[in-house]
Amino acid sequence: MLSKRSMRLYAVLCVAAIALLIVAAAPCTAAPAHPCPCCAVDEARISQILEQMTLEQKVAQLYMVGVNMLPGSRHKARRLVRDLGVGGVFLPPISSVAFSPRRTASNVRKLQLWALERDNPIPLLIAVDQEGGIPQALNDITGGTDTPGNMGLGATFDAGATLQAYDLMGQQLYALGINVNFAPVIEPDAGPSEPSMYTRCFSASTRAVAAHGAQAVRGLQANRVIACVKHFPGHANAPGDEHFGPVVNGENRETIFSRYLPPFDAAISNGAEMVMLTHATYRGLGNLPASIDPTVIELLRVELGFEGVIITDDINMGAIIAADWNELPDLAMLRAGVDIILDSAADSRPNLTRSSASYARWPHKVEEQIAAVARAVRAGRIDEGRIDRSVRRVLRLKMKYCLLDEPYRDPKQVERGLDTAEQRLLAQQLHSRALTVVRDEAELLPLDLQTQARVHVVCIGRAPQQMYAGAAWPNLSGTTLLAQVQAIDRQATGDTFPLNPHQRRIEQIVERAQAATPQVLLIGSYDAYYHPQQAELVRRLLALKLPTLIVALATPYDLLAFPEATTYLATYSNRDIAVQIAVRAIFGKAAAQGRLPVALPGLYPAGWQYQPQPKSDE
């Protein structure tokens, strides 16, 4: 008779197998099907490298730190890489992923050359957040090609589209010399009540997420870019935001196994090399954040059979710094079985208004953190064999992805592999497949400039103050809905608004819209469901009783805030190509082929797509 643990694992594998059948059945026209063109792994060479390393050098290989490559800040990056010998770096947008691809590739080359100047010249793992859609460091502004986000890809209901999108991302990241992508997110969407994941989830369906996630892994790693699936065992379904404080999922073990683990099992079966742990606590598994809980890591290693590299989410998040620990959290994470600690705010003391007095006692400079771990090893509080196993996994990954032979690209050649005509055409096709017409009861689509010549646009500006509801950072796009409409209709008028416009601005916008006497009013909302003043603005505009078309440029849940709207589209992204394709579709110059990958509670189920009624001949 099978044990309970074996039965649970068997159930997970069965669900994952069903998901993989979906993957196999999905059309993958012109998409890559080959495995990673990786290098051979020489275990003897890895052992030799390991034997020559000091304890501090070994510990340093287990840190991935954020770096700033802007002029005047590079000395700090050089010290972290060359002098301290960290094993990896994370490149934030703007400060390291520059507005020029050549500059970004030059930053990558400098970082790798500094790593090769060390006493132990081991190249770096270099990572970015490149999920597509709203959270993508490499986009139209920075010289890449906008691809749909995960929710947009989920709207295609075709895992082959995800394979194509992540293959495109892999091509561009490889061209820059970036070798790790903190993507894809492979967690089911939790619905409108949990905004912290916004458009980063493929679907609310476990099986669909497993199918898309497996293909995302294949698409990246076919281009020798390491896929880091996240956030194990789940982030989207733990209410709250780990960036700002402790987050707890109270569901039982059976639910975790059946709903949250199958996508990770499918990704691992398709070769995922890296898994990122969440800082959320899952009560069905233990009483600690997953990144500190040895039970969670044992689940990943033993029951899911993952042999690759385990990395934490950023150690500076509120779920860690707002709690009281009896020791430096780094020690607990490494002791639990983590291979790499992500410290994206390297050498910066966390915001103490959100951190505990206890946590403030611990060192926050990377050099001090490395020294503290080394002392703990020498004192017997962490087994050195535990450190060696993680270093071996890191070295194995670097060797497998050819970093010891080809650590960077020639910056002068990089633009040949970025934003090519072929890549841009594919991105446009993918965005068209994602774009979803949810409702058109007024039969406004497509607009005809011959009969609907006066168009007035009211939309979110280029830089919403929050990437998602409650976030502490903005989201910069390269265009607006108004600009894209005016590219087709030069006579169009309009206004832009901030995320939560104040009352006077609302009055001004409504008055100008009314004075424009448009034949069509076009509104571009951005997470209006979570921002009451923006929702009020939209409702005031709807009260003008003009023929009105609304385009949701972030999550599709905005319709819940103004269900009286008669024409409604969802783009799942405010990036340039997403907005361009939406406007082209509105004017009948592109198709909108997507279906809702999530339900709009009380309105439409997942899978919904508006179907126009055939017009009578009478």
Side-chain angles (χ1 to χ4, degrees):
M1 181 178 292
L2 294 174
S3 67
K4 288 185 178 180
R5 170 179 284 190
S6 298
M7 291 177 69
R8 285 194 296 265
L9 180 57
Y10 178 73
V12 169
L13 295 176
C14 285
V15 175
I18 293 171
L20 294 177
L21 287 174
I22 296 171
V23 172
C28 299
T29 305
H34 49 280
C36 169
C38 292
C39 293
V41 175
D42 184 343
E43 293 291 349
R45 185 180 177 192
I46 290 173
S47 296
Q48 185 179 32
I49 294 172
L50 191 60
E51 289 170 2
Q52 294 172 350
M53 296 172 73
T54 66
L55 176 58
E56 281 75 12
Q57 287 172 340
K58 288 190 286 189
V59 173
Q61 280 293 304
L62 308 186
Y63 279 84
M64 178 176 281
V65 301
V67 292
N68 182 342
M69 294 297 287
L70 292 173
S73 300
R74 292 177 190 163
H75 62 283
K76 175 181 171 181
R78 184 173 61 246
R79 180 177 58 81
L80 290 167
V81 171
R82 189 186 63 188
D83 301 339
L84 294 185
V86 295
V89 295
F90 171 72
L91 305 184
I94 302 176
S95 67
S96 293
V97 178
F99 291 106
S100 156
R102 184 174 291 191
R103 174 63 61 188
T104 301
S106 178
N107 288 341
V108 170
R109 180 176 179 271
K110 282 187 177 72
L111 288 161
Q112 292 290 25
L113 288 175
W114 291 336
L116 296 175
E117 291 174 3
R118 303 186 291 212
D119 293 338
N120 58 328
I122 301 172
L124 297 163
L125 294 174
I126 298 183
V128 293
D129 282 322
Q130 185 72 7
E131 300 176 19
I134 294 172
Q136 53 180 330
L138 186 64
N139 52 54
D140 263 18
I141 300 174
T142 53
T145 306
D146 293 331
T147 56
N150 289 349
M151 190 171 284
L153 293 170
T156 70
F157 281 75
D158 176 11
T162 296
L163 181 58
Q164 290 177 309
Y166 275 81
D167 173 60
L168 190 159
M169 291 185 218
Q171 293 173 26
Q172 298 196 345
L173 294 176
Y174 178 82
L176 293 168
I178 295 167
N179 50 55
V180 178
N181 188 6
F182 287 156
V185 171
I186 53 172
E187 307 157 33
D189 183 73
S193 63
E194 181 45 63
S196 67
M197 294 302 288
Y198 47 117
T199 59
R200 300 170 70 187
C201 301
F202 289 108
S203 169
S205 161
T206 296
R207 286 186 291 181
V209 172
H212 285 279
Q215 297 298 65
V217 168
R218 294 178 64 203
L220 289 172
Q221 295 185 174
N223 293 282
R224 227 156 68 192
V225 174
I226 297 159
C228 176
V229 296
K230 60 187 186 184
H231 311 78
F232 188 84
H235 173 114
N237 294 276
D241 190 341
E242 288 90 324
H243 291 88
F244 306 120
V247 170
V248 175
N249 176 296
E251 292 171 304
N252 61 34
R253 189 177 179 89
E254 287 68 27
T255 300
I256 295 168
F257 268 71
S258 63
R259 179 159 172 75
Y260 307 132
L261 297 194
F264 287 96
D265 188 74
I268 292 166
S269 297
N270 276 267
E273 303 279 10
M274 187 179 289
V275 173
M276 179 180 286
L277 299 173
T278 180
H279 292 314
T281 298
Y282 272 70
R283 294 293 191 206
L285 301 175
N287 295 314
L288 294 170
S291 53
I292 296 178
D293 195 337
T295 303
V296 173
I297 295 174
E298 181 185 17
L299 168 63
L300 181 55
R301 290 285 188 211
V302 177
E303 301 208 34
L304 295 188
F306 181 62
E307 298 178 351
V309 170
I310 297 175
I311 186 171
T312 70
D313 208 339
D314 183 16
I315 197 172
N316 299 288
M317 287 185 177
I320 299 300
I321 67 173
D324 290 322
W325 308 103
N326 294 323
E327 61 183 350
L328 183 69
D330 311 44
L331 303 181
M333 292 172 175
L334 291 170
R335 191 183 297 113
V338 162
D339 297 311
I340 295 178
I341 292 171
L342 175 61
D343 186 354
S344 62
D347 282 4
S348 298
R349 185 173 291 275
N351 184 345
L352 296 184
T353 62
R354 293 199 303 264
S355 63
S356 69
S358 172
Y359 187 77
R361 298 200 310 266
W362 308 114
H364 297 95
K365 291 186 178 296
V366 178
E367 183 175 11
E368 297 170 355
Q369 291 167 270
I370 292 170
V373 174
R375 284 196 302 272
V377 172
R378 290 192 173 99
R381 295 166 58 203
I382 298 178
D383 178 45
E384 188 167 359
R386 160 82 276 283
I387 299 297
D388 287 352
R389 286 190 294 275
S390 288
V391 176
R392 188 177 290 276
R393 288 190 192 100
V394 171
L395 294 175
R396 187 180 292 123
L397 189 60
K398 292 180 178 183
M399 185 175 287
K400 182 176 180 180
Y401 280 76
C402 309
L403 300 185
L404 275 63
D405 303 314
E406 189 186 5
Y408 55 84
R409 312 286 170 264
D410 181 355
K412 295 179 181 178
Q413 304 295 322
V414 68
E415 290 174 357
R416 294 181 181 180
L418 266 74
D419 205 30
T420 65
E422 181 182 7
Q423 290 170 343
R424 200 163 188 84
L425 177 60
L426 174 59
Q428 290 168 351
Q429 292 169 344
L430 291 171
H431 278 288
S432 180
R433 296 183 64 190
L435 180 65
T436 305
V437 178
V438 179
R439 180 185 284 178
D440 188 20
E441 294 171 358
E443 298 184 343
L444 290 179
L445 297 173
L447 297 186
D448 182 356
L449 287 178
Q450 300 301 316
T451 60
Q452 298 161 309
R454 294 195 307 279
V455 178
H456 188 77
V457 182
V458 177
C459 64
I460 190 75
R462 289 182 60 238
Q465 300 98 309
Q466 299 172 353
M467 185 172 282
Y468 60 90
W473 48 90
N475 169 35
L476 176 66
S477 64
T479 191
T480 64
L481 190 69
L482 173 59
Q484 291 303 314
V485 170
Q486 290 175 332
I488 293 177
D489 176 11
R490 295 182 180 179
Q491 305 305 313
T493 57
D495 281 303
T496 61
F497 56 81
L499 196 63
N500 238 351
H502 55 72
Q503 198 62 38
R504 175 179 288 184
R505 183 65 178 144
I506 290 173
E507 299 294 341
Q508 291 173 339
I509 290 172
V510 173
E511 289 173 7
R512 283 169 56 87
Q514 190 169 25
T517 62
Q519 290 172 298
V520 175
L521 178 61
L522 180 54
I523 302 173
S525 65
Y526 185 101
D527 278 351
Y529 177 71
Y530 304 104
H531 296 95
Q533 289 168 256
Q534 186 186 149
E536 179 188 346
L537 168 61
V538 175
R539 287 192 290 267
R540 289 281 304 277
L541 291 168
L542 288 171
L544 297 177
K545 302 300 182 182
L546 297 166
T548 303
L549 190 159
I550 298 175
V551 182
L553 299 170
T555 66
Y557 298 120
D558 286 1
L559 188 59
L560 301 175
F562 27 79
E564 66 271 29
T566 56
T567 302
Y568 182 80
L569 286 77
T571 65
Y572 314 100
S573 172
N574 71 330
R575 294 295 184 194
D576 293 14
I577 295 180
V579 180
Q580 290 165 7
I581 291 298
V583 171
R584 286 180 58 79
I586 287 168
F587 286 100
K589 298 177 182 294
Q593 305 171 58
R595 292 185 281 150
L596 282 174
V598 295
L600 301 186
L603 295 176
Y604 300 108
W608 172 264
Q609 175 192 58
Y610 172 77
Q611 297 291 342
Q613 297 298 315
K615 294 183 179 180
S616 172
D617 293 335
E618 297 181 2

